[in-house]
Amino acid sequence: MRFNQFSYIPLSIQEAEKELRELGFSVSLEKSAKANLEDFLRKCFFQYEDRDIPLANWLADFDTDLLTFFQSDKALTLEVFYMVALQLLDFIPHVDFEEVNTFIEKTAFPIAFQEEEFLLNLHQLLATRQKTGMTLIDKLLSLGLLPADNHYHYFNGKSLASFDTSQIIREVVYVETGLDSDQDGKKDLIRVHILRPQTDQALPTTLTASPYHQGTNPVANDKKMHKMEGLLSSKPAHKIEVEVKPIPQVAYSHSQAPQGPASETFTHIANYSLNDYLLARGFANIYVSGLGTLASEGFMTSGDYQQVNAFRAVIDWLNGRAVAYTSPKRSTQVLADWTSGKVVTTGISYLGTMSNALATTAVDGLEVIIAEAGISSWYDYYRENGLVSSPGGYPGEDLDVLTEYTYSRNLLGGEYLRSNQTYQAFLRQMSQDLDRDKGDYSQFWQDRNYVSHAKEVKAQVILTHGSQDWNVKPLHAYQFFKALPSNIDKHLFFHNGMHVYMNNWQSIDFRESMNALLTQKLLGQANGFQLPRVIWQDNSQEQVWQRLEDFGGSHYRTLDLGHGQAIIENHYQEEDFERYAKDFNIFKAQLFKGKANQITIDLTLEEDLLVNGRPRLKLRLKSSRAKGLLSAQVLDFGLKKRYKDVPSTKEARGIDNGRNYVRENCLELPFVETPYRVISKAVLNLQNRQGLLSIDDVQADQWMTIQLDLQPSIYRLNKGNQLRLVLYTTDFEHTIRDNSDYQLTLDLRQSQLLLPYD
């Protein structure tokens, strides 16, 4: 393990003493450091009747147990403090370490021993993560250090787990959205699941907007899946025009129905463990699936502002501006009289997408979004540079397929009977509007582009994204981050994983950082917490996270691609084509080994370089036909240690989110020897070489100059590292599989790879 501590808030020694004493530690500025350490430890062992027993079983050094040490006149030294601190953080002498100082240096232990200000050491130690993934204070609270009294308690600017999760109120309400997406003459209701502690405190809320939470329809999804094999269309030259429309504003109806408490309840719903963590710390949890989902009304409009405004209605209800009812009969309305109205949105993928979208509405009450691997423009999820481009791992999926998958309203037989015929007509129109034949940008996609409205955002924005996320690609975080207004606080956690959560990783105190931020923004505690603009997982070192000022550099290092000409053949023998189409992973393996139809160019770095932003290709090429597509990937090539893209378990059920509440595994990305790592990639329809809104003719055998910006990344390269640039046509994971007989010719002498840096 290596420590990376971003959540600790420095404070004065007097404040440290006050906070420690409020937790029941009988420390004092008048006592010696050694006496304070003994009192501190005896409190940590509060579960023992005879606290001499654990002291006798722990070490002060490799020759002395702690009980003997405290009974002696030995001085408290740096080595003794570190030995004790490591044991408190679940590290075991002779198992995890043999030499204290070496281990402290190896793990980048964040606390510097200060005998004269020792209470600061003890204070920070409580806020430091154990090997199992919890901070020491969270571990002590999970064991019962403080009573679960359903009132707020704070330590180091963070809310503590003092709310009783064994007595949670679980209730369901139906929020009226002000929309009629299914055109049935009624304002659509959406079902809302609420979990909140039993308390008289006004609670802030975590809102997770997810069409997946109440179930999905994989059967309809599979039936709707599109065939990837076909011919790349030759498009007539023209300019595309779209309009950036204002976000639609929604008016809510006033209800004359009598008021009453929620009457429907539930036992379980698919949850997110960060929400569980916050629930125990006084944040209500709300899960809402939205339009067209199980027990809600309306159609699944998939990414447009009807869907977004339906989720917004929940925030408006929490702030008294919209109406909710006890049931779809709308006979009794329910007030959100338990909440402060302050909201943070959470969740990954579609959930993070709705966080991005909700932020652009600038709805009052939305204070913070935590958007993890969220889409910022639906075109860039299902299309790229004039091509249909399936998200990584899902060839053949498109927005109409996802609509079928998430339209869980049809899982209720009565709803299917009443609305499916109208819904299928709606779905056919969507399939026509998304236009798989051409892959072009259009008003349909513009209406699902949140980057166009990013300038409206008022909430504080937290983004997380993985460099190896080829599902929701890094461009989504990059372009949204860059488009946000300069006067708001925005932050990015950029890791080396794929499409994964990072709140339960061993090496980064993400959840504690979010606690500090939300305690400040939603609970009104002036804790002085400041989060760096960009926190980046250094790909060159195990469990190391670095601070950066921004995502995207303004300078480029140019690498020439060589001399002469090289040819990419598009056509494959039938046997190879069918094999690659059947399993795109076989194609990827062959591609990275240089055995597909491709140009492979190996380049050696002549100096260290931190790539930050979008690599760019400047190419001179020609196609043997009046059309063509180009795919490109940049690899860090050669055997060395790199991160795997999926985390593995470090400690099974090591994290307690409250008091024996929703325990989860402590995870981490393994750092292992691999032959290569993809840094960036992109695909391009050659007819879109002048831009997304310009369709130009391709003249057969006529040279063209193109500029292609690849997916953004932050990636450290060292002098002597080898880059492998792979250029090819069909990508069997992402693009149309056109096996027609044409070739691209590249003029290497007039082609370059440009790597961005600060």
Side-chain angles (χ1 to χ4, degrees):
M1 176 177 176
R2 184 179 173 91
F3 293 94
N4 297 275
Q5 193 172 63
F6 296 96
S7 62
Y8 185 69
I9 304 168
L11 74 177
S12 71
I13 194 168
Q14 290 78 16
E15 291 170 318
E17 180 191 38
K18 179 175 181 291
E19 290 197 359
L20 288 165
R21 293 182 67 85
E22 286 173 350
L23 291 172
F25 292 94
S26 57
V27 297
S28 170
L29 289 170
E30 305 303 316
K31 295 181 182 179
S32 69
K34 183 177 179 180
N36 276 324
L37 179 60
E38 181 175 3
D39 289 343
F40 181 84
L41 286 170
R42 288 186 177 276
K43 183 63 177 179
C44 288
F45 296 136
F46 66 91
Q47 290 186 302
Y48 290 83
E49 182 179 3
D50 183 350
R51 298 172 192 182
D52 285 354
I53 294 173
L55 287 175
N57 284 323
W58 282 31
L59 295 181
D61 55 44
F62 282 108
D63 298 313
T64 314
D65 68 67
L66 271 173
L67 184 60
T68 302
F69 169 75
F70 286 126
Q71 292 172 344
S72 74
D73 58 2
K74 284 188 174 182
L76 175 61
T77 63
L78 176 148
E79 288 79 8
V80 171
F81 169 67
Y82 285 151
M83 173 68 84
V84 173
L86 290 173
Q87 290 171 95
L88 282 168
L89 300 180
D90 284 340
F91 295 99
I92 304 171
H94 300 299
V95 175
D96 292 312
F97 63 94
E98 293 288 352
E99 205 283 317
V100 172
N101 289 331
T102 301
F103 191 72
I104 289 294
E105 183 178 354
K106 176 184 176 183
T107 58
F109 191 71
I111 305 171
F113 176 64
Q114 304 175 75
E115 186 174 4
E116 298 303 314
E117 296 188 307
F118 188 61
L119 294 191
L120 292 177
N121 290 164
L122 296 180
H123 187 276
Q124 188 172 359
L125 183 59
L126 279 175
T128 298
R129 279 192 153 206
Q130 298 179 300
K131 180 178 70 173
T132 52
M134 299 172 64
T135 61
L136 178 56
I137 183 60
D138 282 346
K139 176 64 175 292
L140 294 174
L141 282 166
S142 78
L143 297 174
L145 178 68
L146 295 180
D149 61 3
N150 288 323
H151 285 79
Y152 290 103
H153 298 272
Y154 303 100
F155 179 76
N156 194 230
K158 304 170 190 70
S159 184
L160 296 177
S162 53
F163 289 82
D164 188 353
T165 53
S166 68
Q167 300 294 326
I168 291 296
I169 296 170
R170 292 175 170 84
E171 57 192 2
V172 174
V173 301
Y174 295 81
V175 171
E176 189 172 270
T177 64
L179 304 161
D180 183 12
S181 61
D182 56 4
Q183 300 297 304
D184 66 354
K186 299 184 301 179
K187 299 300 184 185
D188 300 332
L189 294 178
I190 55 173
R191 193 185 200 196
V192 178
H193 291 79
I194 304 166
L195 299 94
R196 55 185 177 92
Q198 294 191 24
T199 180
D200 58 3
Q201 309 281 296
L203 300 171
T205 301
T206 66
L207 187 153
T208 303
S210 168
Y212 305 135
H213 272 306
Q214 295 186 92
T216 54
N217 193 339
V219 173
N221 174 94
D222 293 348
K223 289 179 179 178
K224 192 68 176 176
M225 197 71 75
H226 296 280
K227 184 180 179 182
M228 297 286 285
E229 289 74 29
L231 295 176
L232 177 66
S233 296
S234 183
K235 301 181 286 192
H238 67 286
K239 301 294 183 185
I240 296 172
E241 295 184 359
V242 295
E243 177 187 359
V244 180
K245 300 176 182 178
I247 296 173
Q249 298 301 303
V250 178
Y252 299 109
S253 302
H254 294 286
S255 175
Q256 300 302 315
Q259 297 174 6
S263 56
E264 184 178 336
T265 188
F266 65 99
T267 55
H268 174 75
I269 192 168
N271 60 331
Y272 171 29
S273 62
L274 180 62
N275 294 353
D276 300 325
Y277 168 85
L278 292 169
L279 180 64
R281 289 155 178 81
F283 293 77
N285 291 177
I286 281 184
Y287 295 93
V288 54
S289 299
L291 296 174
T293 60
L294 190 78
S296 293
E297 298 172 347
F299 286 160
M300 176 58 65
T301 60
S302 296
D304 73 353
Y305 274 95
Q306 286 189 92
Q307 182 185 36
V308 177
N309 278 332
F311 289 123
R312 171 185 172 156
V314 179
I315 300 176
D316 283 326
W317 171 66
L318 292 171
N319 285 276
R321 297 185 293 267
V323 179
Y325 295 97
T326 59
S327 81
K329 292 185 176 181
R330 311 182 201 220
S331 57
T332 304
Q333 61 173 309
V334 184
L335 300 182
D337 52 8
W338 46 265
T339 180
S340 67
K342 293 183 180 295
V343 176
V344 54
T345 58
T346 63
I348 198 170
S349 196
Y350 210 143
L351 295 59
T353 302
M354 290 299 102
S355 288
N356 287 337
L358 277 165
T360 65
T361 70
V363 57
D364 287 340
L366 180 58
E367 303 294 327
V368 179
I369 69 165
I370 305 173
E372 303 195 51
I375 295 166
S376 59
S377 168
W378 285 88
Y379 180 89
D380 294 318
Y381 186 64
Y382 285 118
R383 306 286 184 271
E384 185 174 349
N385 294 321
L387 289 170
V388 172
S389 180
S390 297
Y394 299 93
E397 185 186 301
D398 211 326
L399 191 57
D400 53 351
V401 180
L402 183 64
T403 300
E404 278 280 62
Y405 184 66
T406 55
Y407 187 67
S408 55
R409 184 180 176 185
N410 256 359
L411 299 179
L412 296 173
E415 291 286 7
Y416 185 96
L417 183 67
R418 287 186 291 271
S419 62
N420 184 61
Q421 186 174 352
T422 308
Y423 163 69
Q424 291 300 330
F426 166 84
L427 187 64
R428 285 193 294 272
Q429 184 62 52
M430 177 183 286
S431 297
Q432 179 178 327
D433 291 344
L434 57 83
D435 190 11
R436 281 186 67 85
D437 290 338
K438 299 184 180 65
D440 283 339
Y441 198 70
S442 66
Q443 192 64 47
F444 176 86
W445 297 111
Q446 174 56 48
D447 293 342
R448 291 163 171 80
N449 184 349
Y450 313 131
V451 179
S452 296
H453 300 286
K455 62 183 181 297
E456 307 296 335
V457 173
K458 297 189 303 184
Q460 186 158 345
V461 174
I462 311 295
L463 304 179
T464 80
H465 222 100
S467 69
Q468 299 304 296
D469 191 345
W470 308 121
N471 179 350
V472 179
K473 301 180 184 72
L475 176 62
H476 291 276
Y478 178 83
Q479 63 189 2
F480 196 68
F481 191 80
K482 303 297 272 188
L484 289 168
S486 59
N487 64 328
I488 70 163
D489 289 328
K490 60 180 182 179
H491 310 275
L492 169 70
F493 289 81
F494 194 76
H495 59 79
N496 282 284
M498 54 181 296
H499 198 61
V500 292
Y501 281 120
M502 56 172 289
N503 63 290
N504 55 352
W505 290 9
Q506 184 188 63
S507 66
I508 178 75
D509 54 347
F510 177 76
R511 56 206 273 135
E512 292 81 16
S513 295
M514 295 304 98
N515 186 342
L517 176 66
L518 299 179
T519 296
Q520 181 186 82
K521 296 296 182 182
L522 274 68
L523 292 174
Q525 296 294 304
N527 57 18
F529 179 65
Q530 292 184 326
L531 194 63
R533 174 68 66 88
V534 177
I535 298 176
W536 157 70
Q537 187 179 29
D538 190 336
N539 59 280
S540 68
Q541 304 178 72
E542 186 172 14
Q543 293 200 1
V544 173
W545 296 78
Q546 309 278 15
R547 292 171 167 85
L548 290 175
E549 290 301 315
D550 206 353
F551 189 15
S554 57
H555 306 285
Y556 287 92
R557 186 69 42 78
T558 300
L559 303 177
D560 294 325
L561 298 191
H563 302 281
Q565 297 181 0
I567 292 174
I568 308 168
E569 296 287 352
N570 179 70
H571 180 74
Y572 286 94
Q573 296 298 317
E574 197 63 31
E575 179 182 349
D576 289 334
F577 185 83
E578 290 179 1
R579 183 164 57 105
Y580 294 158
K582 185 177 181 179
D583 186 350
F584 65 81
N585 287 305
I586 295 175
F587 167 75
K588 288 169 68 174
Q590 295 292 94
L591 182 76
F592 296 151
K593 292 177 182 177
K595 296 181 178 180
N597 291 351
Q598 64 192 87
I599 297 171
T600 302
I601 301 168
D602 290 330
L603 304 164
T604 301
L605 266 291
E606 296 182 356
E607 56 188 325
D608 295 346
L609 183 67
L610 178 60
V611 175
N612 185 358
R614 303 189 69 177
R616 175 175 292 168
L617 284 170
K618 289 186 177 180
L619 304 175
R620 188 166 186 261
L621 56 77
K622 62 182 178 179
S623 173
S624 62
R625 288 197 179 181
K627 65 176 184 178
L629 71 87
L630 175 70
S631 300
Q633 298 201 45
V634 178
L635 282 65
D636 173 17
F637 200 79
L639 201 63
K640 67 178 181 181
K641 281 195 169 184
R642 302 179 180 90
Y643 284 104
K644 296 184 73 173
D645 56 12
V646 178
S648 61
T649 299
K650 300 291 286 187
E651 185 75 25
R653 295 172 57 80
I655 297 174
D656 184 350
N657 282 297
R659 298 172 187 237
N660 199 27
Y661 178 62
V662 196
R663 284 187 170 272
E664 63 179 320
N665 296 338
C666 175
L667 307 178
E668 190 58 49
L669 293 180
F671 194 65
V672 298
E673 201 167 71
T674 62
Y676 56 81
R677 165 56 65 98
V678 175
I679 298 175
S680 186
K681 60 182 179 179
V683 296
L684 169 71
N685 189 325
L686 295 181
Q687 288 197 262
N688 289 82
R689 61 191 180 276
Q690 300 298 330
L692 202 55
L693 301 181
S694 179
I695 314 299
D696 296 284
D697 290 330
V698 172
Q699 302 294 332
D701 292 319
Q702 296 295 309
W703 289 104
M704 300 171 282
T705 299
I706 68 167
Q707 177 175 295
L708 176 59
D709 288 339
L710 281 65
Q711 288 293 322
S713 190
I714 306 173
Y715 199 89
R716 188 182 301 281
L717 294 165
N718 296 320
K719 181 179 179 180
N721 285 167
Q722 182 174 302
L723 289 180
R724 171 162 288 187
L725 173 62
V726 181
L727 301 173
Y728 55 109
T729 52
T730 299
D731 187 301
F732 283 81
E733 182 177 13
H734 297 292
T735 71
I736 189 169
R737 299 165 181 170
D738 178 352
N739 200 32
S740 56
D741 189 9
Y742 74 90
Q743 64 186 31
L744 302 181
T745 303
L746 181 67
D747 182 350
L748 295 173
R749 188 176 62 84
Q750 297 191 56
S751 300
Q752 297 89 30
L753 169 64
L754 289 78
L755 300 176
Y757 67 96
D758 289 333

